[in-house]
Amino acid sequence: LSLALPFALSKKGRIRLKERYGTWQLGNFRIWFHGASAGEVKGLLPVLSKVKRGPDDKVLLTSTSPGAFGVETPCWVSHHLL
């Protein structure tokens, strides 16, 4: 706990803190992808567009780094930071 406290109190640690601890709503997603790094998320973008078949398909994309979360994704992808 003592090691995590400075990070939790820093501005970087507070950004999207609720998502990081799982308080976001999953909703009704049909497809879930996870890309840990920015490179993995960029690599998933072509796959995401091929998997989405119709306007009702909802895609959830999770990532674990702020850099990966900064990658621009299509509007029909809900991107969350874990």
Side-chain angles (χ1 to χ4, degrees), residues 38-55:
E40 289 181 6
V41 170
K42 288 177 184 177
L44 280 172
L45 293 177
V47 176
L48 296 175
S49 59
K50 290 188 185 293
V51 169
K52 186 175 182 335
R53 296 185 182 163

Side-chain angles (χ1 to χ4, degrees), residues 13-25:
R14 289 190 313 267
I15 294 173
R16 306 185 79 86
L17 189 64
K18 289 182 180 180
E19 280 184 316
R20 195 173 280 274
Y21 291 101
T23 59
W24 42 273
Q25 298 294 320

Side-chain angles (χ1 to χ4, degrees), residues 4 10-12 15 21 49 52 63 68 71:
S10 71
K11 182 179 179 181
K12 186 176 180 180
I15 294 173
Y21 291 101
S49 59
K52 186 175 182 335
S63 55
V71 174

